[in-house]
Amino acid sequence: MSTDEMNRPPTPVLAAVCIYALLAAALLIGAVAIAIAGAPTLALLGLGALLPGSVALGLWQGNRGARIAAFVLAFPSILGAIVLVFLLAVPESSRAWFTPDELDEDEFGDEEGDEVATGRR
């Protein structure tokens, strides 16, 4: 696997990022339309676009908290919750994307290196 592939999220995570980015864009466009229509105080509802936008960014970066927030935000919609479970929890590539490197087992190979590092023979 190349370095470029390791830095790019897997396809199911990209799909979830697109869902939340489109939601954020729709909320922002709606807020701009409300402001143009002459209700600037209602345009403050556009700040609601920050939440799905930040979830999309967190999913892209592999933030585990963003994954939980994505499930919580999708909970009111049964279909949305099911889709996100199948995108973020079921595929192994998605689970691996949200697992920190520190939790990987035996990162350096075999156990012999551990014995040499500690001075045991």
Side-chain angles (χ1 to χ4, degrees):
M1 182 179 286
S2 70
T3 306
D4 186 40
E5 290 175 357
M6 289 174 38
N7 292 331
R8 195 178 71 212
T11 306
V13 175
L14 286 176
V17 166
C18 288
I19 290 170
Y20 278 102
L22 288 173
L23 177 62
L27 288 173
L28 194 59
I29 290 170
V32 169
I34 289 172
I36 291 172
T41 54
L42 287 178
L44 289 175
L45 295 176
L47 292 175
L50 290 175
L51 187 59
S54 63
V55 168
L57 178 64
L59 290 173
W60 181 273
Q61 294 174 344
N63 188 341
R64 297 172 87 185
R67 187 171 110 173
I68 294 168
F71 289 133
V72 170
L73 287 177
F75 184 73
S77 166
I78 300 298
L79 180 63
I82 291 171
V83 167
L84 282 177
V85 165
F86 280 114
L87 287 175
L88 298 177
V90 173
E92 187 175 341
S93 62
S94 295
R95 290 189 312 245
W97 180 252
F98 294 105
T99 303
D101 291 335
E102 296 87 33
L103 296 179
D104 289 342
E105 294 181 21
D106 204 13
E107 186 174 299
F108 298 106
D110 57 340
E111 295 176 356
E112 294 175 11
D114 294 338
E115 293 174 359
V116 172
T118 59
R120 292 180 293 174
R121 289 263 178 194

